[in-house]
């Protein structure tokens, strides 16, 4: 009895001193306590995920943090002008302006996000700066831009010739009809589990092409385009953001995993919710695409989408950065 009371006092003293240390030290302590033998895994949306995963994999296999891995990974896609739906080279809105959305989330539920950000090539890094250097979690429009400049991000023109030409062609009819899988999709969402067993995720996009100026999709919204719970798993989304926001998509996937569902089953259920919600509003499903990808704390992964055409890239010790076609509902 005496021994256990002494132990209790000892534990209380340790806990009190842990609580007293500042946030970064506390972070360090948790990291040191984590197990270092987990097999890493990284997943990301669409075919450009392969290149992005390869970059993230370097950090993961160097025992780096999942957070650093996902940031480095999606930056590859953001910087590539040939990828015309993310970052530099992204298709513009109907006013010819490239406006970017991005968010990031780590294993401590730290979050950062930017929306409708113009003229900055790496919105994901601005989102990370919002997370680490401000008292807020989301900055939008001019405020996000001013903050980026204050942090030393260069101002750059993101509208490449090809995107400008497409926009001019689009203006002739000015019809806003996003199509499934083609031209105006392709957000990169990336989720990773590192060797310490910690999860993080990042999501970045230029959003739906020819959207109204000021339109924000699901990608920068924590819970919709991305969600991470270090006890359970992580999920991210791509496709028609309005539909993903409506069901808080990525959060829904994580909560379903918390209830014991395998990542694939959790993604499927979330897509089914979108189907039901669209049916309720008589919204035709044929032109919609939604895809979710997810991993759980054990490193199991899965995905599901509304209709065929969505693929995702997986890199783990067993799966050598392969592109996998997600199962679909329609
Ligand atoms: C959006 N979800 O802005 C994004 C677009 C997208 O694959 O994911 N495209 O709605």
């Amino acid at each position: 009895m005496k021994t256990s009371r002494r132990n209790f006092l000892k534990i209380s003293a340790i806990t009190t001193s842990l609580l007293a240390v500042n946030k970064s030290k506390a972070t360090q302590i948790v990291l040191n306590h984590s197990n270092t033998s987990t097999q890493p895994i990284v997943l990301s949306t669409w075919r450009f995920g392969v290149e992005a995963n390869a970059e993230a994999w370097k950090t993961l296999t160097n025992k780096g943090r999942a957070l650093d891995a996902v940031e480095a990974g999606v930056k590859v896609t953001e910087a590539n002008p040939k990828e015309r739906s993310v970052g530099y080279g992204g298709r513009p809105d109907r006013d010819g302006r490239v406006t970017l959305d991005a968010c990031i989330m780590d294993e401590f539920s730290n979050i950062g996000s930017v929306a409708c950000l113009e003229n900055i090539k790496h919105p994901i890094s601005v989102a990370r700066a919002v997370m680490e250097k401000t008292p807020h979690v989301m900055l939008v429009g001019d405020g996000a831009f001013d903050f980026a400049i204050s942090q030393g991000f260069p101002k750059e023109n993101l509208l490449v010739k090809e995107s400008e030409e497409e926009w001019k062609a689009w203006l002739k009819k000015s019809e806003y009809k996003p199509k499934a899988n083609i031209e105006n999709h392709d957000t990169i969402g990336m989720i990773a589990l590192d060797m310490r067993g910690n999860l993080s995720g990042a999501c970045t996009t230029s959003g739906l092409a020819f959207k109204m100026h000021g339109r924000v999709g699901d990608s920068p919204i924590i819970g919709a385009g991305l969600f991470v719970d270090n006890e359970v798993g992580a999920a991210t989304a791509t496709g028609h953001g309005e539909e993903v926001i409506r069901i808080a998509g990525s959060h829904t996937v994580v909560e379903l995993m918390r209830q014991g569902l395998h990542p694939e089953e959790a993604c499927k259920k979330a897509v089914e919710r979108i189907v039901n919600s669209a049916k309720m509003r008589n919204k035709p499903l044929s032109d919609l695409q939604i895809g979710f990808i997810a991993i759980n704390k054990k490193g199991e992964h899965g995905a599901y989408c509304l209709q065929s055409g969505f693929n995702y890239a997986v890199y783990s010790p067993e799966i050598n950065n392969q592109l996998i076609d997600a199962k679909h509902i329609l």
Side-chain angles (χ1 to χ4, degrees):
M1 189 66 181
K2 257 188 191 158
T3 321
S4 63
R5 184 176 147 72
R6 209 175 302 140
N7 278 346
F8 172 76
L9 289 174
K10 218 193 273 173
I11 290 164
S12 305
I14 292 168
T15 311
T16 313
S17 65
L18 280 183
L19 290 175
V21 296
N22 66 33
K23 192 177 156 202
S24 65
K25 276 199 187 138
T27 300
Q28 196 57 42
I29 287 160
V30 177
L31 281 177
N32 290 343
H33 270 246
S34 300
N35 137 22
T36 53
S37 64
T38 304
Q39 300 269 41
I41 180 168
V42 56
L43 251 66
S44 45
T45 54
W46 303 104
R47 63 173 158 65
F48 46 47
V50 172
E51 212 188 357
N53 278 0
E55 186 61 33
W57 192 245
K58 293 181 200 161
T59 305
L60 292 174
T61 49
N62 264 331
K63 299 189 181 167
R65 260 181 99 187
L67 179 70
D68 295 323
V70 295
E71 182 190 7
V74 302
K75 278 177 80 172
V76 172
T77 322
E78 286 184 340
N80 186 346
K82 294 202 179 105
E83 300 302 357
R84 313 267 308 291
S85 52
V86 178
Y88 176 45
R91 291 187 178 83
D93 63 21
R94 59 187 65 175
D95 296 345
R97 296 161 75 160
V98 181
T99 65
L100 305 178
D101 293 344
C103 73
I104 195 157
M105 183 162 191
D106 75 6
E107 69 271 38
F108 305 108
S109 294
N110 291 312
I111 54 175
S113 158
V114 288
C116 209
L117 173 63
E118 292 180 72
N119 298 308
I120 302 286
K121 195 186 269 178
H122 288 300
I124 199 65
S125 299
V126 185
R128 184 165 176 176
V130 170
M131 173 172 102
E132 292 177 342
K133 298 183 179 162
T134 79
H136 307 304
V137 298
M138 186 173 200
L139 292 177
V140 304
D142 289 348
F145 174 77
D146 293 345
F147 170 69
I149 296 296
S150 78
Q151 295 300 305
F153 290 88
K155 178 177 177 181
E156 292 174 76
N157 175 27
L158 305 180
L159 185 63
V160 298
K161 205 168 108 261
E162 292 82 355
S163 288
E164 189 174 2
E165 280 166 5
E166 272 185 35
W167 167 62
K168 285 184 177 153
W170 179 85
L171 279 178
K172 289 183 190 144
K173 280 194 177 168
S174 296
E175 266 177 7
Y176 182 68
K177 281 190 182 162
K179 293 199 184 72
N181 297 324
I182 347 177
E183 86 185 357
N184 34 26
H185 283 267
D186 302 4
T187 295
I188 184 153
M190 178 182 275
I191 45 184
L193 178 70
D194 65 29
M195 289 169 95
R196 291 191 170 100
N198 289 322
L199 292 157
S200 288
C203 187
T204 175
T205 190
S206 52
L208 295 181
F210 318 129
K211 60 194 174 183
M212 289 173 71
H213 181 62
R215 180 264 188 189
V216 172
D218 59 317
S219 307
I221 299 179
I222 296 291
L226 174 74
F227 197 70
V228 176
D229 183 321
N230 205 44
E231 285 183 2
V232 177
T236 186
T238 180
H240 289 82
E242 283 76 3
E243 303 307 313
V244 177
I245 293 171
R246 218 179 294 282
I247 66 144
S250 295
H251 182 261
T252 296
V253 173
V254 172
E255 288 308 303
L256 289 164
M257 290 194 287
R258 191 192 306 281
Q259 290 166 26
L261 265 61
H262 184 276
E264 180 180 299
E265 205 42 40
C267 291
K268 184 179 182 196
K269 280 250 171 331
V271 178
E272 283 169 357
R273 279 203 197 171
I274 288 177
V275 169
N276 292 341
S277 110
K279 281 187 180 158
M280 224 160 48
R281 289 171 291 114
N282 294 321
K283 171 121 187 145
L285 293 168
S286 55
D287 272 350
L288 287 181
Q289 177 60 304
I290 307 291
F292 289 107
I293 61 174
I295 42 180
N296 64 20
K297 193 70 179 168
K298 290 188 266 180
E300 295 169 327
H301 72 274
Y304 230 90
C305 62
L306 183 59
Q307 50 188 308
S308 69
F310 169 56
N311 48 25
Y312 65 107
V314 183
Y315 208 157
S316 74
E318 291 84 36
I319 304 171
N320 191 17
N321 206 9
Q322 280 171 26
L323 204 53
I324 298 175
D325 287 327
K327 291 184 192 161
H328 51 97
I329 285 192
L330 296 184

